[in-house]
Amino acid sequence: LPPYIECTSCHQCANTQSEYDAVHGAHKSFTRCGEFVQGSGGGRTCAEVIDSFVAERAQTDGYCQGHCGPIAKPGCNEFHWGRTLNPNGAGFYHYTLNWGNCGTNV
C-alpha cells in the first residue's frame, strides 16, 4: 500500500460513524467526516480489518478491487479510523476506515 498520513484529529468523528453504522448498516454514515472512500467491517483491531480488505485481492488474481481498489490508488494519502466503544458478543468491534484525497467517488 502507498504511504499514508494518519489524521489523528479525525478519529472522534470516525468513532461516531462506527457507532451509527453498527446500528443502521455499513456505510450509512459515508461522507460525514469528509472522506472520499470508506471501508466498514468487523474485527478485533484496525489492522485486522485493513488486512482483510487487502486480502480480497487474492480473489481477483492479485489486483486490488472492491475494498482494496480505492485505497491502493495513487494519490490516496490520508487515513483515519474509528470503532464502536464496545465489541459485539463475539468480541469484534465495528470499524469505520476512511481515506481522503483519493481522487475517487467510489
Side-chain angles (χ1 to χ4, degrees), residues 60-84:
T60 57
D61 296 326
Y63 295 102
C64 280
Q65 297 177 11
H67 285 103
C68 182
I71 64 175
K73 282 182 81 164
C76 188
N77 58 14
E78 186 269 326
F79 171 74
H80 61 278
W81 61 276
R83 72 164 206 201
T84 52

Side-chain angles (χ1 to χ4, degrees), residues 9 20 33-34 43 45 54-55 69-70 72 86 88 100:
S9 64
Y20 186 87
C33 297
T45 67
V54 174
N86 297 306
N88 65 18

Side-chain angles (χ1 to χ4, degrees), residues 1-69:
L1 294 175
Y4 292 97
I5 297 167
E6 184 175 8
C7 179
T8 56
S9 64
C10 301
H11 291 305
Q12 184 55 43
C13 185
N15 286 340
T16 65
Q17 287 180 301
S18 292
E19 294 291 349
Y20 186 87
D21 288 356
V23 173
H24 299 285
H27 306 290
K28 296 295 184 185
S29 66
F30 182 55
T31 70
R32 284 187 179 182
C33 297
E35 67 277 3
F36 294 110
V37 174
Q38 183 184 74
S40 188
R44 289 186 175 86
T45 67
C46 182
E48 185 178 286
V49 176
I50 292 171
D51 287 347
S52 72
F53 289 170
V54 174
E56 290 176 2
R57 75 182 187 278
Q59 301 166 9
T60 57
D61 296 326
Y63 295 102
C64 280
Q65 297 177 11
H67 285 103
C68 182

